Amino acid sequence: MFDNQPLPEKSQLDKLPFLFSGKLLLRKEIALQDEDFQKLLKAKLLIQLKSITKRNFVYQCMRCGNQRPSLFATIPCHRCKNRHLYCRKCIEMGRVLECEPLYEWNGPRPDWTRHLAPSSWDGELTVDQQKAADRMVLAINNQEKELLCWAVCGSGKTEMLFPGITEALKHGKRICIATPRADVVRELRPRIQQAFANVTVQALYGGSDEKEATAQLIIATTHQLLRFKNAFDLLIIDEIDAFPFHADPSLPFAANRARAAQSTMLYLTATPRKEHRVRINQKKLPHTFVPVRFHGHPLPIPVMNMVFSLKRDLKNIQAPVPFLSWVKKRQNSTRQLLIFVPTIRLAEQLQETLATIFLKEQIIIAKDKLLFVHAEDADREEKVNQFRQKELTVLITTTILERGVTFSSVDVAILDAGHEVFDEAALVQIAGRAGRSADDPTGEVIFFHDGKTEAMIQAIQSIKMMNIRGGFA
């Protein structure tokens, strides 16, 4: 995480809390020469914590909370030559080895700036957005433990956060916005920095240039929370229902540990999971609800299109006839086309196939205007940006773009919408990519399938219900 460098000579003790407070670090992540490091240990400004503990014959990684035996292994120690246990669950964050401790700052907490007027955002919230924003401000001021903001796709959740963040900064609080995917972190970084121009902002994700995590306002992937402990006065978990947060127990574990003793946790989602809805209904989870998009138009309702030959067509890397017919009908449209598919392999194979078929069928889409993207694509950031800048006409994608990204004017197609990867939440989120701009508040969403699934039916019902609650009959 850090390169070794000499301890700063000027105002050393003033800078150290900002460098190390609120973190759980491996020795190699502490940017101090050994002599200075030992001085801090002797002064008990840094303390050692066991990295892997054992209780009742059960091992636990103290960084990620992992207790699954299958996710532990042994490796020869380069110092004592014995074999020691390490955690495989969080190894991508740096190996946690049984014989090497984690280090925690034990000195004074940083004195974060109390900003008199932190916001440089000159926008205006709608009535519904303002109600949600006011509720979040109340939760922050009262140090409520948690609050869920349930807001439909395209409602402007980021802008709704600005009053709450402003209030927190006025009181000298430290803030983290954690989101499941690096793409979203990269998209949020300039927006947040523009809205809070005089506040230190850093973005943390795998491969990011900013690694020190010394800013008052942090935007990070949820995995980066594994490095923090008792750090944030306001912790905002974006897309709480999304993979991997809802499916990986280490991430809620890390989030709860990363928050300060007196803090507020804000959850954001357009598609709360069943457990959240149950807690809301039982009045155990306070929430605020925003049923309308910022531009005041209803959510696009998906249309189901039956394709009997779908599985055979996709297996043979062919475009289904109903899909081609639909593309032909809309080829004079000014909207871009976002095509969702269930697997990486299909995304890669369809690029060349569709380019050839479109040429044959006289669908006017240049070959270099059609690309695919997926989570393992090294060029995914560039491709998404090309699509956003309208340098591409068609983008084939996996669920990596189901949420957290905004395109101004798109139609959306899902090939094999009945596939198991497209659960209700994913389908609602994918449909939410269309009609997000005030200049183009509508857009087509088509589910191409070979048999209705419960997820498809529930997704459409959910969208219709949100429209009804938003005042659209």
Side-chain angles (χ1 to χ4, degrees):
M1 188 174 180
F2 303 108
D3 294 324
N4 284 331
Q5 59 187 35
L7 186 66
E9 295 181 2
K10 185 179 179 181
S11 305
Q12 294 177 3
L13 292 179
D14 291 336
K15 293 181 180 180
L16 290 177
F18 293 93
L19 283 171
F20 303 129
S21 179
K23 299 175 185 175
L24 280 179
L25 299 173
L26 300 168
R27 173 63 184 98
K28 65 183 179 181
E29 295 174 325
I30 299 175
L32 298 175
Q33 293 182 347
D34 197 57
E35 180 182 355
D36 296 316
F37 175 70
Q38 293 300 327
K39 287 179 182 178
L40 293 182
L41 285 178
K42 189 173 182 179
K44 296 185 179 179
L45 290 173
L46 280 177
I47 57 174
Q48 296 182 0
L49 302 173
K50 283 188 175 182
S51 58
I52 297 176
T53 62
K54 184 179 181 182
R55 185 177 180 182
N56 297 328
F57 305 101
V58 176
Y59 288 102
Q60 182 177 18
C61 172
M62 299 310 292
R63 183 171 65 181
C64 72
N66 169 45
Q67 293 182 326
R68 291 177 57 186
S70 62
L71 293 178
F72 287 104
T74 60
I75 192 172
C77 177
H78 67 280
R79 292 178 300 182
C80 66
K81 307 305 180 185
N82 293 324
R83 297 187 69 85
H84 289 298
L85 206 67
Y86 72 95
C87 179
R88 296 171 53 234
K89 179 73 175 66
C90 58
I91 194 168
E92 290 185 359
M93 308 290 290
R95 183 185 288 122
V96 170
L97 194 61
E98 185 180 16
C99 63
E100 297 178 356
L102 293 165
Y103 295 93
E104 179 182 2
W105 178 251
N106 193 42
R109 288 177 62 86
D111 187 13
W112 297 104
T113 304
R114 291 175 178 263
H115 298 266
L116 294 177
S119 178
S120 50
W121 186 62
D122 59 1
E124 190 172 321
L125 297 177
T126 66
V127 172
D128 291 293
Q129 287 176 323
Q130 190 64 57
K131 287 180 181 178
D134 291 344
R135 181 63 184 89
M136 287 187 270
V137 169
L138 181 66
I140 292 164
N141 283 336
N142 291 343
Q143 292 187 332
E144 294 181 35
K145 185 178 179 181
E146 56 184 355
L147 175 71
L148 183 142
C149 179
W150 180 356
V152 297
C153 296
S155 59
K157 289 189 287 292
T158 301
E159 288 74 16
M160 282 185 263
L161 291 174
F162 292 167
I165 293 174
T166 297
E167 191 69 15
L169 290 169
K170 285 180 179 179
H171 290 87
K173 295 179 184 288
R174 195 182 191 198
I175 303 155
C176 178
I177 304 172
T179 189
R181 292 172 179 165
D183 309 70
V184 182
V185 175
R186 286 190 287 263
E187 183 170 298
L188 279 177
R189 172 68 165 82
R191 293 172 65 187
I192 297 297
Q193 186 65 83
Q194 185 177 24
F196 300 94
N198 297 318
V199 179
T200 56
V201 178
Q202 289 176 333
L204 306 178
Y205 55 90
S208 62
D209 295 329
E210 299 171 315
K211 300 181 184 297
E212 291 81 4
T214 54
Q216 187 167 1
L217 206 170
I218 297 286
I219 310 164
T221 55
T222 47
H223 276 94
Q224 293 296 322
L225 295 178
L226 292 169
R227 300 191 192 279
F228 293 94
K229 180 181 179 182
N230 193 27
F232 303 108
D233 306 295
L234 173 60
L235 181 53
I236 301 164
I237 306 294
D238 187 26
E239 306 287 6
I240 190 176
D241 64 294
F243 180 87
F245 191 86
H246 80 92
D248 186 344
S250 70
L251 299 180
F253 170 87
N256 282 302
R257 186 185 60 202
R259 61 189 298 184
Q262 299 296 320
S263 60
T264 299
M265 185 102 80
L266 293 181
Y267 307 120
L268 306 179
T269 181
T271 48
R273 297 274 170 178
K274 181 180 179 180
E275 59 266 29
H276 300 125
R277 297 187 193 191
V278 169
R279 290 185 63 203
I280 288 172
N281 291 336
Q282 294 176 341
K283 300 188 183 304
K284 293 181 179 180
L285 177 59
H287 80 289
T288 182
F289 183 68
V290 184
V292 183
R293 287 184 153 184
F294 78 95
H295 51 53
H297 292 265
L299 298 162
I301 298 174
V303 173
M304 290 192 280
N305 194 317
M306 181 73 174
V307 183
F308 292 100
S309 62
L310 182 69
K311 288 288 193 296
R312 183 179 70 247
D313 291 339
L314 296 182
K315 183 179 179 180
N316 295 329
I317 320 300
Q318 294 297 316
V321 171
F323 169 73
L324 284 177
S325 298
W326 175 70
V327 174
K328 282 182 179 179
K329 288 179 182 178
R330 63 166 302 283
Q331 68 173 324
N332 292 324
S333 172
T334 58
R335 296 189 188 117
Q336 295 166 281
L337 176 57
L338 199 54
I339 303 172
F340 284 84
V341 295
T343 67
I344 291 175
R345 184 181 180 188
L346 184 58
E348 293 175 338
Q349 292 173 327
L350 273 180
Q351 176 182 325
E352 190 67 30
T353 298
L354 287 183
T356 302
I357 292 175
F358 287 170
L359 179 63
K360 181 180 177 182
E361 297 291 331
Q362 297 183 334
I363 297 172
I364 307 170
I365 296 174
K367 187 174 182 179
D368 62 349
K369 299 294 184 181
L370 186 156
L371 292 178
F372 69 88
V373 68
H374 53 73
E376 298 175 12
D377 190 341
D379 299 321
R380 84 183 198 196
E381 183 178 357
E382 180 183 349
K383 290 178 180 179
V384 171
N385 190 55
Q386 283 180 287
F387 192 71
R388 185 176 288 114
Q389 299 301 321
K390 299 193 175 183
E391 296 171 10
L392 301 176
T393 305
V394 180
L395 189 61
I396 305 167
T397 179
T398 58
T399 54
I400 189 65
L401 295 185
E402 76 176 38
R403 61 178 77 217
V405 291
T406 298
F407 305 113
S408 61
S409 181
V410 298
D411 287 330
V412 176
I414 305 179
L415 292 177
D416 199 5
H419 193 283
E420 62 184 2
V421 304
F422 298 120
D423 62 10
E424 178 190 344
L427 292 171
V428 171
Q429 290 283 356
I430 289 170
R433 297 314 98 199
R436 296 178 73 90
S437 170
D439 295 328
D440 184 14
T442 60
E444 288 189 81
V445 181
I446 312 292
F447 293 170
F448 292 97
H449 67 96
D450 60 355
K452 295 180 183 179
T453 62
E454 187 68 19
M456 292 163 58
I457 295 169
Q458 290 298 325
I460 293 173
Q461 288 181 349
S462 177
I463 293 169
K464 287 180 177 179
M465 183 58 66
M466 290 301 101
N467 284 340
I468 291 172
R469 294 185 69 173
F472 304 103

